[in-house]
Amino acid sequence: MAEDEAGIAAFARAWAKAISGTSYIPMSQGELEERLRALTGELRDALLAEPFSLRRGYRVGGALVRAHVVSAEGLGRTIEILDQRLVRDLGLPDAGGRMARLLGTVATGYARALRDRTLDEQESIRRAAMVAREEAESALRESESRFRHQATHDSLTGLPNRALFTDRLRAAFAGPPRRLAVCFLDLDGFKMVNDSLGHHAGDLLLVEVARRLARSVGEHLVARLGGDEFVILIEGTTCTEDAVKVADAALAAINEPVEVDGQRLEVSASIGIVERETGGSSPSDVMRAADITLHWAKEAGKGRWALFDPDRNEREIARYTLSSSMPAALERGEFFVDYQPLVALDGGRLRGVEALVRWRHPTLGVLRPDRFVGLAEETGLIVRLGAWVLGEACAQARRWLDASPDAPFVSVNLAVRQIGDPGLIAEVTEVLARTGLPPDRLQLEITESDAMAGVDLGVLDALASMGVRLAIDDFGTGYSNLAYLRHLPVRELKVAGAFVEGLRTGDSPVDEKIMATLVALAHTLDLTVTAENVETAGQAARLRAIGCDSAQGWHFGHPGPPSAIDDQLGAA
């Protein structure tokens, strides 16, 4: 019985691997394997049952659709693996014609279930559309009703309010296509005025800002949306410059100091500008774009305006989409690690390899770290992702060490969030214990800017005392403070590729002198020096001549799978 269960588990694991990535399957690999183990048992029972019944095959086909395996490729791989491995892996007797009939029933059950699912989804969409339409019509009627016993002006400032502005904006879109602009304005630091001087002072400030706006751009509709948010509607623009002139006038009026309750306040505002033709757009599109652009102006330093940029908007949407999909991608195993050789310049020995994470995105293809590591750092996912890379790299380094005593050490990058994570020491300890990798076969890289920005020396000292190698990465891109390195327990200095670039042709003696000085000073501090981005034999020769210890770059090998390093170890 144990052998049967082991065979079922092995087959289910192979089955899950075969269909992974063919469809979006909202479950982890382990959950998918568990589901397929049950289906494997059904198929086994179907082949052994007397008399032979087709019902189990239909059920298995339908269960695949319910598990969201809903692509032709997923079905094809399922039929293929059932035909090739089911009988063998489960140790079943020759099924004869039963296997062919069983495969047919699985395909038939799958097709029926997929058809039923499609019909159900179409009906759900139809009903949802009907409900949405009814709700929209009801909401419109209620909105129109509210707009008719409701006031059209803000009670505090006397400016038109949100309702009147919205009505005017809709009216502008209801006529023939023409150009218009919206300037969405927000006061900088208004909350501090309320918090420090009180809401009465805040109200007085809003009244004065409203008066200034009405005076400076009064030929256009100026409305208060609420709080410290104001909006200017400019109809009949001819170009973006028309809107910019209005925004400049508004900022100039607001930037004059304001006297409030005996306090002289310096006031500034940020404005998001959208100028476009009404055709092909909508009021909600314009306001959403204006809101986004206002945030851009705030991010750029406040006290200024920013213009809506559709290309930037698309990039930010793409970034958000990529960022939000990263946690699930990590669960689905879409990340993998490539390794780049780190070679001793004296003799060409393979000293180490740098682990470089990649993302095999289902629609965008393989993504390099510069596409997603920054997003992972912003969202905090870098701690989980970095832990996964560390585990993968250490496990691979252990396999290389088992194969050869001259195996390279593995170098893994640490983000600043990882260094600040209180569980880092325990995490590194656990990974080394689990993989059996000696600590001196692991190198952790910290960028120069992170190292110089107040990294907890206690964490670095603890890692070094364990025997883990520490390296400063991208040296020369930040402070370039060799003296500060005396206080860090590092073994290696990785010099940024910008210094190496000048050695490509030999026409830059200044770069060669700078590099030679860095190498000499680093050696004085007993640091090994590695040059990054070495792409030519000429660069390698010059680096060797000035005493640089090792190098990495395309001249010595592109980042690649572990098998590429296997080949180098075998050749050695």
Side-chain angles (χ1 to χ4, degrees):
M1 194 65 177
E3 292 180 358
D4 289 348
E5 291 304 318
I8 288 175
F11 180 79
R13 192 158 47 249
W15 190 359
K17 183 177 180 181
I19 64 176
S20 291
T22 61
S23 311
Y24 171 67
I25 302 176
M27 63 181 76
S28 67
Q29 194 75 1
E31 291 171 334
L32 179 60
E33 290 180 19
E34 185 67 27
R35 183 78 61 90
L36 295 181
R37 267 199 294 273
L39 298 184
T40 303
E42 287 265 346
L43 293 169
R44 177 199 60 190
D45 295 344
L47 287 174
L48 297 178
E50 293 294 346
F52 180 65
S53 171
L54 303 178
R55 285 179 296 178
R56 284 192 171 97
Y58 295 145
R59 286 203 299 268
V60 169
L64 285 174
V65 173
R66 289 190 293 276
H68 299 277
V69 181
V70 289
S71 69
E73 185 181 4
L75 176 62
R77 291 188 181 181
T78 292
I79 296 300
E80 181 180 2
I81 198 167
L82 291 178
D83 183 47
Q84 294 179 354
R85 295 189 54 169
L86 181 64
V87 171
R88 185 194 69 192
D89 286 8
L90 270 61
L92 299 175
D94 184 9
R98 286 191 173 191
M99 176 56 75
R101 295 178 64 193
L102 181 62
L103 294 178
T105 60
V106 169
T108 301
Y110 180 92
R112 290 174 179 172
L114 190 58
R115 177 200 59 198
D116 292 344
R117 171 188 167 126
T118 302
L119 292 175
D120 289 344
E121 289 178 344
Q122 290 174 344
E123 179 62 18
S124 296
I125 292 171
R126 186 187 68 81
R127 290 178 180 175
M130 183 181 300
V131 170
R133 185 168 58 250
E134 291 173 353
E135 290 177 348
E137 291 171 352
S138 175
L140 179 60
R141 287 192 297 270
E142 291 176 5
S143 175
E144 291 172 343
S145 175
R146 285 196 305 270
F147 181 76
R148 284 190 297 268
H149 298 306
Q150 170 182 317
T152 59
H153 285 72
D154 177 52
S155 60
L156 175 65
T157 65
L159 291 178
N161 63 11
R162 180 186 293 271
L164 178 55
F165 168 78
T166 302
D167 186 56
R168 283 281 298 273
L169 185 61
R170 286 175 177 166
F173 275 84
R178 57 176 176 157
R179 300 194 73 83
L180 58 73
V182 166
C183 295
F184 194 0
L185 182 150
D186 178 275
L187 298 183
D188 299 326
F190 178 72
K191 183 177 183 298
M192 186 165 56
V193 174
N194 271 341
D195 292 345
S196 59
L197 300 180
H199 288 279
H200 176 68
D203 287 347
L204 292 178
L205 175 59
L206 292 174
V207 170
E208 177 60 19
V209 167
R211 187 186 68 79
R212 293 183 181 188
L213 286 174
R215 184 188 63 199
S216 61
V217 296
E219 68 271 28
H220 305 295
L221 176 67
V222 181
R224 181 188 176 209
L225 298 185
D228 63 329
E229 293 181 342
F230 298 83
V231 66
I232 306 169
L233 176 61
I234 312 165
E235 299 186 66
T237 56
T238 59
C239 61
T240 300
E241 185 60 28
D242 292 343
V244 170
K245 289 178 181 177
V246 173
D248 282 335
L251 290 179
I254 291 174
N255 284 346
E256 292 293 325
V258 178
E259 192 81 22
V260 174
D261 280 350
Q263 297 280 343
R264 183 180 173 89
L265 302 179
E266 298 293 333
V267 184
S268 68
S270 301
I271 299 179
I273 304 174
V274 178
E275 195 277 334
R276 63 174 56 165
E277 188 176 89
T278 56
S281 187
S282 70
S284 59
D285 288 341
V286 168
M287 292 308 297
R288 184 164 50 248
D291 187 33
I292 291 169
T293 312
L294 173 60
H295 286 290
W296 294 347
K298 294 278 190 183
E299 291 172 357
K302 304 180 181 179
R304 66 192 66 203
W305 51 258
L307 284 172
F308 179 72
D309 180 350
D311 292 335
R312 177 178 176 179
N313 185 50
E314 288 298 322
R315 290 194 299 271
E316 294 198 353
I317 290 174
R319 277 173 55 84
Y320 173 79
T321 302
L322 204 62
S323 175
S324 62
S325 65
M326 286 180 67
L330 189 56
E331 292 292 333
R332 291 194 297 267
E334 293 178 5
F335 291 94
F336 66 96
V337 179
D338 273 345
Y339 299 89
Q340 185 171 33
L342 193 156
V343 176
L345 287 169
D346 184 11
R349 179 177 60 86
L350 180 64
R351 290 185 59 235
V353 294
E354 181 174 358
L356 299 168
V357 64
R358 308 287 194 247
W359 183 357
R360 188 176 288 107
H361 194 279
T363 58
L364 300 178
V366 175
L367 304 181
R368 293 167 56 87
D370 56 1
R371 289 286 302 276
F372 60 86
V373 166
L375 294 176
E377 290 177 342
E378 291 173 13
T379 61
L381 185 68
I382 192 66
V383 174
R384 282 181 56 201
L385 180 60
W388 179 84
V389 172
L390 179 66
E392 287 289 306
C394 287
Q396 181 58 57
R398 178 71 241 190
R399 287 191 286 272
W400 282 324
L401 185 59
D402 289 339
S404 169
D406 297 324
F409 63 81
V410 67
S411 195
V412 179
N413 292 281
L414 282 185
V416 67
R417 277 184 182 255
Q418 290 176 272
I419 303 170
D421 183 54
L424 177 63
I425 302 300
E427 178 186 305
V428 173
T429 302
E430 187 278 329
V431 167
L432 292 175
R434 171 164 47 86
T435 60
L437 184 69
D440 63 349
R441 296 301 181 111
L442 171 63
Q443 176 167 281
L444 298 177
E445 296 186 16
I446 307 163
T447 64
E448 179 192 5
S449 56
D450 291 341
M452 303 303 173
V455 166
D456 186 352
L457 291 181
V459 173
L460 301 185
D461 287 335
L463 290 169
S465 66
M466 292 166 54
V468 173
R469 304 167 56 95
L470 297 177
I472 299 297
D473 190 21
D474 286 336
F475 188 80
T477 59
Y479 298 97
S480 302
N481 190 337
L482 279 165
Y484 185 71
L485 294 178
R486 293 181 300 173
H487 305 292
L488 300 177
V490 299
R491 293 194 195 180
E492 186 150 333
L493 197 67
K494 299 186 74 174
V495 180
F499 289 94
V500 180
E501 177 63 26
L503 306 182
R504 178 188 287 269
T505 61
D507 296 334
S508 179
V510 173
D511 284 344
E512 191 160 342
K513 289 178 181 177
I514 291 174
M515 192 70 188
T517 301
L518 287 177
V519 170
L521 290 174
H523 285 171
T524 301
L525 296 173
D526 292 328
L527 297 175
T528 301
V529 181
T530 296
E532 299 181 305
N533 296 2
V534 179
E535 299 181 356
T536 68
Q539 287 173 312
R542 290 182 179 88
L543 289 166
R544 186 184 307 110
I546 63 178
C548 187
D549 302 291
S550 55
Q552 67 181 100
W554 291 355
H555 177 65
F556 299 102
H558 290 251
S563 58
I565 304 300
D566 294 341
D567 294 341
Q568 289 198 33
L569 291 173

